[in-house]
Amino acid sequence: MKQPLRILLIEDDPGDAGLIGAYLRPVRFSGLAPRIVVATSLGEARGLLLEVVPDLILLDLALPDSAGLATVTTVHGLAPGTPIVVLSGHRDAEFEADVLEAGAQDYLVKGEFDSAHIGRAIRHARTRARLEARLKLQDAALRAVAHGIVITGADATIQWANPAFSQMTGYSLAESLGHKPKDLIHSGLNDAALYESLWRTIMAGQVWRGELVNKRKDGSLYDEELAITPVRDAQGVIQHFVAFKQDISERKASEEKIRQLAFYDALTNLPNRRMLLDRLQQALAVCGRSHHVGALLFIDLDDFKGLNDTLGHDIGDLLLIQVARRLAECVREGDTVSRLGGDEFVVMLEDLSGNLEEAALQAEGVGEKIIAALNRPYDLNGNEQHSTPSIGITLFDDSHDSIDDLLKRADLAMYQAKEAGRNTLRFFDHAMQARVEARAMLEAELRRALRDNQFQLHYQPQVDAGGRVTGAEALLRWNHPQRGLVTPGEFITLAEESGLIVSLGHWVLEEACRQLTHWGASPSHVHLTLAVNVSARQFRHPDFVDQVLAVVEHTRANPLRLKLELTESLLLDNVEATAEKMAALKAHGIGFALDDFGTGYSSLTYLKRLPLDQLKIDRSFVRDVLSKPNDAAIARGIIALGLSLGLPVIAEGVETMQQRDFLVSHGCVNFQGYLFGKPMPAGEFPG
Ligand code: C2E
Ligand code: CA
Ligand code: CA
């Protein structure tokens, strides 16, 4: 049911009161006449206001018990939400402003209004009071919200921000106004793509939600969860953006903490079992795609329990922490070192060679490195302690192994390492183990062979077009006590990888130079040159030049008759340093042949820069020179290249007259091959 508008008229002058009453009588609010109650003093008004709150107050400022602005303030205080229309005796713009400021909605001058005026004034006052109340509520709410709120113009400059924003960022409202948020709190740590998507979204009129890392006024960083809403005007044009922000640093930190607890070992900070299983799962998936091989190394400390029991858990913990640190130093960045618990660690290697055998050797290499690292003495609170590990290794590839099986295998292999006497490593795979052992044995045998003089050189003749012997290539043979004569194909690579090639190569050089000296004393052999193969690792050794010169000097070999055979890959590795070494030897008369030419990169630029004396056509081209047009073309090309550079060309692996004739017909006049003589002991070499 509709209620009449209740008006409280506070007016001490009965004449004025009567007049206003008369004005109001014909006015209708929602079709009803207002109900007017009159108070003749502030005191009386106070009493009435305590009983009923009216819909509107008409207020005369000159009352017996109150006057002026104070009257407005008091009445507004008594009825805070009620609209007040002040009735004043005179017009005074400044005073009017004060009155409105003090809480009144309108200001009418007595004698200047009529019935229609006052009706309109009352209606407007009520509307204004309602809007003001709503604004006040919204303002209070925006200020009170715990989230940061920022309102910008369409140009992104800040027009308003709430206290929570200031608290979050350290920028007061005054400092923020007129600036773009990005000038204040930009950290530079967010993806450019993120900002792009942000702008694209809000410019399209949509709400963007996301997380940013921002910077406070004091320079500290915080994580912010943010929603930006574009605000359009009546024409649909975006005029403002409202950002709703929340500092989620704490939440992030606790999430990180939880992750840390869930995936890392608290004592060593290494990934724990769960994390390892996770990564292993991923690694298996990657292996499937990349065809790489990975390895699991299960590491258990020998007699950790004993140390723990005698020295106490605190010391045991110290050891585990140091072991963890050393393990981490033994692997590459992408590898995983984890602690399963107790004294059990698992290292996962990824990205090993795609070849199982090579991968096994790489894993073994890391295993050996770990054994060496963990064997170093430990300083545990001033006590020097020793500890050794037993390591079990298993390889994994894309063969759909289950994670459990892999761990079990590595564990089993670790027990085999324990059984084998501890402080060692074992492979799970027997074939792998056998190959790794065979290799280790071969390496040991090679060392022994060098010591026991089981190596010898064979000499293969090199001839000219007339069939005259002009020199020889020295080729290494291993006179193995059980296996007989072993050719270099079976051991040179291992000698390279193990570094043994440096001493082996030195021996070869010395033996070859001795042979040269020997030939030099015999008139029938004095003209012969001798080619000696030099491997990359040997050549790169910093002492190489000095060693060669020393050997030449003390064997008294004629350096003009000595030729070193280098391969392309060796030359290309570091052209500058290579050229320098070659020049140093060249200065003493030593020559150089480029071995296996045509099989490598065959870059012509280095051919000119390096002091070469001969190109050697690889025997793979010579073999098929008559049957494969491609190989014939390469052979012809090399010969032509040699001729144009003024470099003699020699063909190796010549086995038939037809091959020789073909080569001769294209201008190659030096040969080496079974057609002219196999590699043979010096005593059998023709003179
Ligand atoms: P290489 O330098 O290409 O040596 C030529 C190889 O071809 C030798 O094999 C030789 O016996 C073989 N050969 C010669 N004529 C013929 C032929 O007509 N037909 C066929 N099928 N083969 C022929 P070898 O002695 O088994 O040596 C193999 C490789 O081992 C050499 O290839 C060389 O790279 C390396 N090597 C040999 N001796 C040494 C050495 O003292 N030091 C170093 N670093 N490497 C050596
Ligand atoms: Ca050679
Ligand atoms: Ca060769």
Side-chain angles (χ1 to χ4, degrees), residues 68 124 227 241 246 271 285 329 344 415 427 467 485 528 576 585 605:
H124 286 174
F241 297 108
Q246 195 177 1
E329 282 164 12
E344 292 179 339
Y415 276 104
F427 276 83
L485 221 50
L528 298 178
E576 229 40 66
L585 291 166
T605 37

Side-chain angles (χ1 to χ4, degrees), residues 473 533 565 595 616 652:
E473 176 177 6
N533 292 288
E565 294 201 354
D595 206 356
K616 225 174 167 181
E652 70 176 350

Side-chain angles (χ1 to χ4, degrees), residues 352-384:
L352 299 178
S353 159
N355 172 302
L356 270 177
E357 186 162 352
E358 271 175 36
L361 292 172
Q362 290 169 328
E364 191 209 11
V366 175
E368 295 287 4
K369 203 165 148 189
I370 289 175
I371 290 178
L374 299 193
N375 267 273
R376 291 197 324 259
Y378 296 85
D379 177 359
L380 306 179
N381 256 358
N383 293 314
E384 185 174 300

Side-chain angles (χ1 to χ4, degrees), residues 415-478:
Y415 276 104
Q416 282 162 13
K418 293 254 186 224
E419 273 168 27
R422 305 169 153 207
N423 200 21
T424 186
L425 61 81
R426 281 293 176 273
F427 276 83
F428 170 77
D429 186 309
H430 295 296
M432 218 50 91
Q433 180 66 32
R435 257 173 285 184
V436 167
E437 275 172 12
R439 203 182 129 94
M441 208 157 85
L442 181 62
E443 196 180 320
E445 273 190 321
L446 278 176
R447 283 181 203 283
R448 206 175 317 126
L450 199 59
R451 199 189 57 210
D452 297 353
N453 248 323
Q454 292 171 6
F455 289 106
Q456 64 186 80
L457 288 185
H458 278 190
Y459 300 88
Q460 185 176 32
Q462 298 181 333
V463 304
D464 63 15
R468 282 174 296 269
V469 177
T470 56
E473 176 177 6
L475 292 159
L476 187 58
R477 297 293 178 263
W478 178 8

